[in-house]
């Protein structure tokens, strides 16, 4: 059969679904204003910079003739699908997001969404760490930002300075003590 009558796609049935952390059933998709800006910036970058570049490459490659062995065309089309998939994902997540500004928190003596929390090992007072509790779509563990549904965030929620909480770790249960809470 001629390639003219076949669908050019490498997508599987689940390829259209972006792998993202799931939101607990019945919960809202909370996000900080900074997190929403990052999602919007990424969406703008995809729409106004990356996609037009790839479209130009695919158009050029399509004009070169045989598309079945044209790497620029094949990989360009694949990249367009990836960009479109990510764009759809971002639009859906931003649509259901509820922006919560931590700066407007009135009860600053307790840990809530957006708090920056410093804690340590409760048994020996060592291993001091600081995390910021943010939305699912904006968590970056390498920068100390953890999702509000993560085990550490759940353990810290509504704690006050001096409180000791227990958390399950891969090495067994651990006790942590809250040292400082801020909303900066």
């Amino acid at each position: 059969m001629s390639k003219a009558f076949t669908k050019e796609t490498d997508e599987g049935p689940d390829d259209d679904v972006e792998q993202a952390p799931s939101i607990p059933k019945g919960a809202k998709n909370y996000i900080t204003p900074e997190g929403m800006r990052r999602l919007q910036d990424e969406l703008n970058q995809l729409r106004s910079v990356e996609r037009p570049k790839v479209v130009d490459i695919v158009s050029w490659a399509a004009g070169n003739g045989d598309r079945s062995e044209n790497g620029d065309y094949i990989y360009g089309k694949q990249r367009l699908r990836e960009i479109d998939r990510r764009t759809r994902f971002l639009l859906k997540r931003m649509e259901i997001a509820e922006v919560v500004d931590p700066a407007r928190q009135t009860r600053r003596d307790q840990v809530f969404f957006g708090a920056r929390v410093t804690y340590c090992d409760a048994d020996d007072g060592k291993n001091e760490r600081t995390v910021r509790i943010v939305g699912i779509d904006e968590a970056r563990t390498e920068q100390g930002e953890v999702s509000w549904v993560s085990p550490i965030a759940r353990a810290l929620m509504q704690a006050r300075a001096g409180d000791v909480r227990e958390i399950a770790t891969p090495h067994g249960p651990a006790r942590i003590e809250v040292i400082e809470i801020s909303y900066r």
Side-chain angles (χ1 to χ4, degrees), residues 42-134:
E42 181 182 355
L43 180 64
N44 290 336
Q45 173 74 11
L46 289 173
R47 283 180 164 172
S48 61
V49 177
E50 284 192 50
R51 193 169 200 294
K53 279 184 189 176
V54 176
V55 166
D56 288 343
I57 292 169
V58 170
S59 297
W60 169 81
N64 288 338
D66 185 14
R67 296 176 186 176
S68 64
E69 294 180 11
N70 186 332
D72 287 327
Y73 179 80
I74 293 168
Y75 295 118
K77 292 289 282 187
Q78 181 178 347
R79 180 65 184 136
L80 280 176
R81 284 191 299 273
E82 292 168 359
I83 290 170
D84 291 343
R85 187 176 309 121
R86 182 67 181 169
T87 298
R88 282 190 306 275
F89 170 78
L90 290 170
L91 287 170
K92 286 179 185 176
R93 292 302 264 224
M94 287 171 28
E95 183 179 298
I96 63 169
E98 185 169 320
V99 179
V100 177
D101 189 354
R104 301 181 81 191
Q105 177 60 255
T106 57
R107 295 170 50 193
R108 294 176 174 264
D109 64 328
Q110 265 185 302
V111 177
F112 292 105
F113 182 84
R116 188 173 308 275
V117 184
T118 303
Y119 65 91
C120 68
D121 186 359
D123 297 327
D124 61 12
K126 295 181 181 176
N127 300 327
E128 189 173 297
R129 294 189 54 193
T130 300
V131 296
R132 182 172 180 224
I133 301 172
V134 296

Side-chain angles (χ1 to χ4, degrees), residues 143-159:
Q143 294 185 356
E145 295 177 340
V146 297
S147 165
W148 66 273
V149 297
S150 68
I152 187 69
R154 286 179 182 238
L156 291 170
M157 283 294 185
Q158 298 185 357

